[in-house]
Amino acid sequence: MVKRGNWTRRELLRSSAVAAGSLVFSGAAGPLAFAAGSDTIRVGVIGCGGRGSEAAKNCVDSSPGVKIVALADAFGDRPQGVKKSFGVPDDRCFVGLDAYKQVLALPDVNLVILATPPGFRPIHLAEAIKQGKNVFMEKPVCVCPAGYKMVVEASEQAQQKGLAIVTGTQRRHQGVYVEAMKRIHDGAIGNIVSAQCYWNMGGLWVNKRQPGQGDVDWQIRNWLYFTWLSGDHICEQHVHNLDVVNWAFKDAQPVEVHGLGGRQYRTGPEYGNIFDHFGVEYTYPNDVKTISMCRQIEGTADNVSERVVGTKGVWRSEPGVIEGEKPWRYEGPSVDPYVQEHTDLIKSIRDGKPLNEGKRIADSTLCAIMGRESAYSRIRFQRSWFLGRCTLNLLPAEDLKLSDARPVPAVAVPGQYQLPGWVQEGRRGKRGA
Amino acid sequence: MSSQGNKGVSGTSAGVAGATVAAVLGQMAHAQGSDRIRVGMLGCGGRGNGAIQNCLDADPGVEIIALADLFESQAKGTRDRFMKNEKYKDRIKVNDDHIFSGFDCHEKIAKCEAELLLMATAPAFRGRQLMAAIKAGKHVFTEKPVGTDVAGCKEVMEASRLAKEKNLAIVAGTQRRHQAGYVETMKRIHDGAIGELVGGQCYWYGDGIWFHGVPEKVQMSELEWQVYNWYHFTWLSGDQICEQHIHNIDVMNWCFNGPPAKFTAVGGRQWRSSNPEQVKTAKEVCGKFNNGSEENWEKYNGDIWDHIYAEFEYPNGARCLSFSGHSPGSGRNGEKIVGTKGSSDCNRGITGENAWSFQGGGIDPMVQEHKDLIASIRSGKPLNEGQRVAESTLTAIAARMAACTGRTFTWKWLMGASKLELVPRDVKPGPGLFHKIATGRDELV
């Protein structure tokens, strides 16, 4: 979901100015590897909901010479706003669950924005890379280990083909984070011995089921609340914070996970089958343990932040400070990171040095998925087990239709929930105290 | 203790040995001219029976002279059990007029001639029971936790102050404080062996717990059944975080020499409500109290949660994880403390710059705690753990409150402003006291 910062008009203008400056430079100097004979970035938007529309705008705002030229969405009403804003002709607006294929088949499109519900992302990414498109994709990028593997493979292919993949974990493009991480990696807080991250907030939008609406139709309209579509809120939102903690560890991955969670307040049928809170312990190499907490319950205490603790100091994302032996406070410019990520993407394409964040975001998404599955089952497991042996596959069928029957899966109940692949190793969870 | 020749044995144990010598020299405040200690047991359930045995094992001078329980059958059953045991029967001297029952049994037993009372009733009543005992001039061994709400814990703190004035001992059943491995390791942690404390984790995650129906042979009202099945009602047990996990929380507080400054938590009840065996029993109980109707059985199914994930922020800024709950097939129990120079499991050793490992030694800490208590009484320097165990109980309660309300709050607020009181002042046989299961955004009281 979109978590917008409170950007003032002045900051937005300043960020546009920065973007313009970088364009003049790269536009004048760089050979354009992406589309011979033209320096225009021609963008197809796949998934025209709130985030897709915003991303399209961010992309156009980020750099001159960017044009939205094609749209796809599962529903006919969705692309209307974007279509109007960017003057996309009727015959370039595609509707349906396979509309993404039509956009990806257009030879003039050289960048696509993937912003459908995350459950579809692996399939869409694989097709985009196959069709030779550069990609901006929203987070998270998968909801199960099967999807994770598809994203990793597509990212490797992108590398071989010289295609860019940038993802909507915008903190990686935000000065206050980038500068802090540089220092953490340079040892400003010593060795990392602990970390905490949180996405505790109220509720989000709900699309209630309309009379006569089919299962798949309604679930996609109301996708936040179904694990197969959103990955649950730990995946859909909290991935931002988990990604930051991974970043602090130089993208070393946790080796073990143990989670708790449940659905205590938000229990109505309109909330599908996801939980409303999670608490997960991630154990990184050298037995460094971290706290992850996320909650979506209206009227509870907010906290969206990260904190990393080292032997020589502490970094806090709010307000962006290091305390300890080498105190530091971010004093750089405040640029809209939702625009900056597109600026960086397009510059990398134009410079012929495509960014590829695919594997990295897949790993961070996998952290969230592991936390979710551990909380659903309350089983403590190793990442190596999850990647090697867990057979969970929530990918939608190739021929999925909006009219398909698809009952809402049961809310996970520990002790009953089957973690696919765990059965034969069942007693591992007993390895206790 | 020293005869075991273990270098690793704790300073506490050494202190105890010294105290025992003092006792032999005859400085016994407790019972003039005798090394006999007369003991009364309040609460004759599973832990109560365990505590009696631990106390008898701790010192040959211990005699059990009074037994009290809400149910007379429990108290008599306990006497019978020990009377059948060759090892203990000579020291069980409980006359029929020293069997006390009913909701006021703590007042009755406080009037008997025992010098020491052991308490293992449901945690809800500990504050008032401890207060009655201290007012009556008894030394006390109290099981943990010592309350289920803020008011109850404050009463324990008050009773502890009074005990200090009256030179009475209060020792609590957080036995890690009397376990050689913990004591030795903690000494090093406090001496700076792992540097400044910057983080930590503690866990008590278990399989589940008994759920009692109404016993065939005992007549009981709804409320008495609730007390009999106390674990499953927050007002009686404080929930699992309070009832079990307090052990580990107490170790974290021990590391930091005091309670956390700030609390944030999430939690819920995800499987208990649908646990088939429990549901079956709850329906039977409903039928018994409602002329066979099982219509409103849910309230008999208990209201405690099955998981809480809490963050404690200590006064120095360190944030620690508390991880607790129950679900089938799970087990995890322990602590870890992290410093700038190393880390420790608080029990077996230290890793890092000052690596060290505990070489063993010490006896069953659940016996040791009684030894330490009795030695302290004999030496005329009674231990008083009341304030400390009340703080650890409140730490668990605070985590539960943070999870149940979705609010973040401070220790200062808790002590100064919270009005949480779950236990009625006047508890008597009659209709049950049922609460709705907490939602995660309940009002913060």
Side-chain angles (χ1 to χ4, degrees), chain B residues 1-2 9-24 58-59 177-178 363 367-376 378-379 383:
Chain B
M1 290 300 302
S2 55
V9 170
S10 70
T12 299
S13 304
V16 170
T20 311
V21 172
V24 172
D59 193 285
R177 298 261 185 172
H178 300 265
I363 59 163
V367 174
Q368 185 64 49
E369 58 191 354
H370 288 276
K371 278 186 182 284
D372 294 347
L373 164 63
I374 292 166
S376 85
R378 286 188 167 142
S379 69
L383 288 170

Side-chain angles (χ1 to χ4, degrees), chain A residues 40-90:
Chain A
T40 302
I41 302 276
R42 299 175 61 82
V43 181
V45 182
I46 294 169
C48 301
R51 190 79 278 275
S53 309
E54 282 296 311
K57 191 170 173 300
N58 297 150
C59 189
V60 169
D61 287 349
S62 75
S63 326
V66 176
K67 210 168 174 251
I68 308 295
V69 299
L71 306 175
D73 200 280
F75 304 105
D77 57 309
R78 283 283 192 207
Q80 291 312 312
V82 197
K83 183 174 169 243
K84 218 167 144 193
S85 304
F86 298 105
V88 182
D90 278 342

Side-chain angles (χ1 to χ4, degrees), chain B residues 148-154 234 394 397-398 400-401 405 413-414 417-423 443-445:
Chain B
T148 64
D149 58 13
V150 177
C153 290
K154 283 190 172 175
T234 300
L394 262 180
I397 290 170
R400 184 192 78 213
M401 289 167 71
T405 62
W413 176 86
L414 184 79
S418 175
K419 304 271 183 254
L420 188 73
E421 185 163 5
L422 301 176
V423 191
E443 190 194 345
L444 183 61
V445 180

Side-chain angles (χ1 to χ4, degrees), chain B residues 109-180:
Chain B
I109 200 170
K111 290 185 186 124
C112 82
E113 64 275 33
E115 288 102 22
L116 169 62
L117 291 185
L118 317 181
M119 297 188 174
T121 53
F125 309 114
R126 197 60 40 80
R128 62 197 63 177
Q129 294 176 347
L130 184 66
M131 187 60 95
I134 297 299
K135 279 184 174 164
K138 310 299 184 195
H139 300 288
V140 173
F141 171 82
T142 169
E143 265 306 333
K144 38 45 66 179
V146 295
T148 64
D149 58 13
V150 177
C153 290
K154 283 190 172 175
E155 196 166 9
V156 171
M157 291 175 180
E158 190 54 44
S160 306
R161 276 189 287 273
L162 190 59
K164 197 156 205 178
E165 278 174 36
K166 300 177 81 165
N167 214 29
L168 294 168
I170 299 176
V171 163
T174 38
Q175 76 280 356
R176 285 162 178 76
R177 298 261 185 172
H178 300 265
Q179 187 171 339

